[in-house]
């Protein structure tokens, strides 16, 4: 019999405790041993958690309990869980965590502390989808060429509504908040930060890259309008907030941003709150993994998969590589990212404007691939939308600065990246 | 260093040997040890295999080689590889096989023989997609409610062409044969037998069901016509050859047949030679796994994932359950399968016919859900197409026999199952 303790008995923690009880039969058959949730830790003992396990408000009651072999960390936050996970590992306990922020910041320190003690984190990325296992164990034969993931259900729900139903950003954000998909302060989701944590975890397994959220390009969906949506539709794209890891010549691109992708690709077909991760390996080609990225039971499903793997003794190297044998790839500076770009700007509705713009772009070696000019407004301005051939991020950024200085261009220039 | 031997150096075997060489850097970093293909066995030594490993035509040179720790079986067939795998296991060697037929017939005997020695088979099902790992390790928290898999690329390619381009069955079969997707005798693919082997493997992991191909319902795509395709389109369905495992009240349904599924479902969007497996767990909901189901490199990717898992010591119980603790679920007899049905028949174009048919169906408690009557032919017959509400397989079969005896119905009645 294996006893576990749960740090943080919220929605996911309660699901873990309940599934261990209701699915005990099949879990014992699969793990080969009974698995029992012994106790949990909460901040507020007076609140009913809907679980039958013993609760305490002192994390040390779990972390120092000699009967507990596996500590499940579901607290959220970074530094407090880091200290507790460290302590649990030092006490020789295996750890399962669903905490993406903890891993985004401390995964390599934790790998060092854990040594041979299992530290598992399937639930940290894309909820119930077993993507960590797929990448860490299922695709080991491959050099990973790229990863593209829809790893935030809130923003995918919002984008789906904007694209399929023509909903406006502000309206759909409000609806998402009412439905409980988005927080009162939605920045963590809509700004791409949540997805960036998950991307960093996948990038470690795929490439052995040690980077933190502040090192990588992160853009949210806040500036997308129906104009962009309509352009995307017309040119055969969907817009998704993607976490992208891509092997380039001199390093690995890591970036989170709204992306135009061909509507015919499998990941473009993933709608609503669902998550999916597409991985291209040099030998297997594209594989894709789809499912629920959030929710108590789905996340608990991944937590318990890790518990069963620990009980079975199937854990492997925490970050996919034997420590010290990482691939040696490094993070490519943001300026060196290379892709296709979409630009939207408001310009004077008169002859010569287009020539002026293309002339400036040419100076940066940027060539236009497709263009759309929208019918002009009452005030003699028109919206100009175009896409570029592949060019470097640094050049497009510089070009935008120069364009913004032109007299014929008004207000902000909105840029979105395109992956083909 | 771990040395492996390969029984059968055809397309997949050569890919395994080559990937072990070209991706040796990353494999060592991930497995923690060097992995070397030492030797291989082929029937015909005079044929160039494009590999640099030593070749022999005597399987015992691999199976009895004390230096070889892992035997990779890629021969095809059933009884010869069974004897060799048995011998390798008895010699204490771990085994990796891509042989679906071997497992469809002998997986429980092999589990018995293997005992604690790893016997892995990720490549046996859906090629490069790590579905065995997902089901065996990633979804252990769940009672599996159902599995629906597109696990044969040939038939999915053919159906995609029939649906998207209006191609006729005979033409597209010929094209598939020319492209090398289909064999000269295509029965194994188009008849659903290939998919049935894979389904049986998944059903063992999900449900612990010990069944053989001849125990389950297997139907192929040979009778599908453009009439059926057009009906499906009109009513919002795609037609896919699915391997289906489904927990019912009194057992588990296992069946392979062309299936009408809602065009909006993710698995309906999987086109061409690609494979995908959708799994519904009681806690995680639906997850889906997509990728290349065949091809030398994709299949070798899965073979090598197993090799790395063995080297890492991550193997778990071969069939997902601790032997003797299987779920206790049993195969539901075919007659007790319950689903929706589509029927196509040719009838007299005169009043009273429809009433006669519905009267007969009522006797079997079968009620019609939707109907389409096609414009009549020159010979005063019309095609009648309809779908039923859920009913039992036994009743629909009996009803079809009775309908065939009616004077107003001509020729065969074609039946297809519908999953919603």
């Amino acid at each position: 019999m294996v006893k576990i303790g749960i740090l943080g008995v919220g929605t996911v923690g309660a699901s873990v405790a309940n599934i261990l009880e209701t699915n005990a039969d099949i879990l014992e058959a699969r793990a080969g041993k009974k698995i029992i949730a012994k106790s949990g830790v909460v901040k507020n003992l007076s609140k009913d958690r809907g679980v039958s396990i013993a609760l305490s408000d002192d994390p040390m009651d779990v972390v120092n309990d000699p009967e507990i072999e596996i500590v499940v960390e579901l607290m959220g936050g970074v530094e407090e869980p880091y200290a507790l996970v460290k302590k649990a590992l030092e006490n020789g306990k295996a750890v399962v965590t669903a905490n993406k922020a903890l891993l985004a910041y401390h995964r390599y320190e934790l790998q060092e502390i854990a040594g041979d003690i299992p530290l598992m984190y399937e639930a940290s990325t894309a909820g119930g989808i077993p993507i960590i296992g797929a990448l860490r164990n299922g695709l080991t034969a491959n050099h990973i060429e790229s990863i593209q993931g829809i790893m935030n259900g809130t923003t995918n729900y919002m984008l789906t509504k904007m694209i399929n139903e023509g909903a406006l950003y502000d309206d759909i954000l409000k609806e998402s908040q009412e439905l409980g998909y988005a927080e009162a302060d939605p920045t963590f989701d809509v700004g791409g930060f949540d997805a960036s944590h998950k991307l960093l975890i996948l990038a470690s397994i795929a490439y052995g890259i040690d980077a933190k959220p502040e090192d990588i390009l992160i853009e949210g969906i806040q500036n997308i309008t129906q104009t962009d949506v309509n352009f995307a539709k017309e040119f055969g794209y969907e817009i998704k907030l993607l976490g992208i890891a891509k092997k380039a010549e001199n390093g690995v691109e890591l970036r989170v941003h709204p992306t135009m992708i061909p509507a015919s690709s499998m990941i473009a077909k993933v709608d609503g709150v669902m998550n999916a991760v597409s991985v291209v390996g040099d030998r297997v080609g594209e594989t894709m993994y789809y499912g629920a990225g959030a929710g108590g039971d789905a996340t608990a499903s991944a937590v318990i998969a890790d518990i069963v793997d620990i009980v079975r003794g199937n854990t492997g190297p925490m970050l996919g590589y034997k420590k010290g044998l990482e691939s040696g790839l490094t993070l490519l500076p943001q300026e060196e990212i290379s892709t296709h770009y979409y630009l939207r700007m408001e310009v004077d509705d008169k002859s010569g404007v287009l020539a002026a713009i293309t002339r400036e772009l040419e100076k940066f070696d940027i060539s236009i691939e497709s263009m759309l000019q929208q019918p002009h407004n009452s005030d003699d301005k028109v919206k100009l939308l175009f896409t570029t051939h592949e060019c470097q991020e640094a050049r497009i950024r510089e070009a935008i600065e120069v364009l913004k200085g032109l007299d014929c261009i008004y207000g902000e220039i909105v840029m979105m990246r395109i992956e083909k």
Side-chain angles (χ1 to χ4, degrees), chain A:
Chain A
M1 187 200 293
V2 176
K3 290 186 181 171
I4 73 153
I6 304 172
L7 301 175
V9 188
T11 312
V12 177
S15 279
V16 170
N18 289 329
I19 295 173
L20 287 176
E21 208 175 313
T22 55
N23 286 6
D25 53 344
I26 205 158
L27 284 166
E28 184 181 355
R30 287 174 176 157
K33 288 185 189 173
K34 268 192 210 311
I35 301 168
I36 306 280
K38 184 187 175 192
S39 57
V41 173
V42 293
K43 285 223 156 61
N44 176 1
L45 278 170
S46 63
K47 199 170 150 190
D48 180 29
R49 310 288 171 164
V51 294
S52 57
I53 59 172
L55 294 179
S56 151
D57 57 6
D58 181 0
M60 291 305 147
D61 286 346
V62 160
V63 168
N64 290 330
D65 183 338
E67 280 195 352
I68 287 175
E69 291 181 48
I70 303 172
V71 172
V72 175
E73 187 276 303
L74 302 168
M75 304 168 66
V78 177
E79 297 312 325
E80 193 190 356
Y82 176 64
L84 291 171
V85 166
K86 185 167 181 283
K87 182 78 183 153
L89 291 167
E90 287 166 354
N91 285 348
K93 298 181 194 312
V95 171
V96 175
T97 179
N99 189 332
K100 54 194 177 280
L102 171 65
L103 293 161
Y105 284 97
H106 292 304
R107 60 199 182 282
Y108 285 95
E109 292 102 307
L110 287 170
Q111 177 184 235
E112 192 68 39
I113 296 164
D116 291 331
I117 297 169
L119 170 49
M120 306 278 280
Y121 51 91
E122 182 61 78
S124 67
T125 302
I129 307 172
I131 179 63
I132 301 292
L135 198 56
R136 201 171 64 166
N137 310 322
L139 303 177
T140 45
N142 297 269
H143 288 109
I144 302 302
E145 294 178 350
S146 67
I147 298 172
Q148 293 189 332
I150 296 172
M151 299 184 287
N152 180 274
T154 308
T155 46
N156 204 51
Y157 175 80
M158 291 174 63
L159 289 171
T160 301
K161 286 275 184 177
M162 288 174 71
I163 292 162
N164 294 357
E165 299 172 20
L168 298 176
Y169 180 85
D170 290 332
D171 295 343
I172 194 63
L173 175 57
K174 198 163 159 246
E175 187 197 305
S176 300
Q177 287 169 324
E178 284 162 8
L179 285 168
Y181 293 160
E183 306 287 327
D185 175 1
T187 315
F188 189 65
D189 288 319
V190 300
F193 301 102
D194 172 72
S196 79
H197 291 175
K198 297 162 182 172
L199 178 67
L200 287 165
I201 294 168
L202 297 181
S204 277
I205 305 174
Y207 301 108
I209 296 259
D210 183 5
K212 295 199 161 43
E214 44 273 28
D215 302 327
I216 71 170
L217 170 64
I218 304 173
E219 286 178 15
I221 65 167
Q222 302 97 324
N223 296 325
I224 299 172
T225 64
Q226 277 300 320
T227 305
D228 310 316
V229 165
N230 292 335
F231 177 90
K233 275 187 190 164
E234 186 145 340
F235 285 82
Y237 295 113
E238 285 274 344
I239 301 175
K240 296 289 180 190
L241 179 70
L242 294 184
I244 298 175
K246 201 158 134 187
K247 194 156 75 175
E249 217 171 312
N250 300 315
V252 176
E253 299 180 2
L254 294 184
R255 42 195 172 103
V256 175
H257 51 69
T259 317
M260 289 191 188
I261 47 173
S264 60
S265 63
M266 273 304 282
I267 201 164
K269 298 171 184 168
V270 174
D271 280 344
V273 294
M274 300 307 280
N275 279 203
V277 181
S278 159
V279 183
V280 177
D282 64 344
R283 296 309 182 128
V284 73
E286 184 189 8
T287 56
M288 194 188 81
Y289 309 85
Y290 164 90
D297 274 4
T299 308
S301 169
V303 168
I304 293 175
D306 280 348
I307 294 173
V308 171
D309 270 340
I310 291 170
V311 173
R312 283 173 169 173
N314 289 354
T315 54
M318 176 191 154
L319 294 171
Y321 288 87
K322 190 176 162 73
K323 203 168 75 67
L325 289 181
E326 288 85 357
S327 66
L329 293 167
T330 52
L331 179 66
L332 199 75
Q334 291 183 29
E335 297 69 27
E336 295 178 35
I337 286 169
S338 183
T339 188
H340 297 251
Y341 294 86
Y342 158 86
L343 296 178
R344 160 166 56 87
M345 58 195 71
E346 204 161 40
V347 303
D348 274 332
D349 186 15
K350 63 185 184 196
S351 67
V353 167
L354 196 56
I357 291 171
T358 48
R359 199 161 47 234
E360 291 303 329
L361 289 175
E362 257 173 28
K363 293 182 193 160
F364 294 95
D365 243 354
I366 298 167
S367 62
I368 291 177
E369 189 175 36
S370 63
M371 171 162 341
L372 193 69
Q373 182 171 314
Q374 291 223 329
H376 66 82
N377 301 340
S378 51
D379 55 0
D380 287 338
K381 298 194 192 81
V382 293
K383 282 204 179 103
L384 195 64
L385 320 171
F386 56 85
T387 63
T388 75
H389 287 284
E390 191 166 334
C391 74
Q392 245 194 6
E393 181 86 10
R395 289 177 183 277
I396 199 89
R397 288 188 190 178
E398 289 163 26
I400 287 171
E401 284 312 307
V402 170
L403 289 179
K404 276 160 76 177
L406 294 185
D407 285 344
C408 59
I409 295 182
Y410 298 88
E412 285 302 304
I413 295 176
V414 169
M415 176 253 272
M416 204 182 311
R417 296 167 192 83
I418 303 170
E419 295 292 315
K420 303 223 165 180

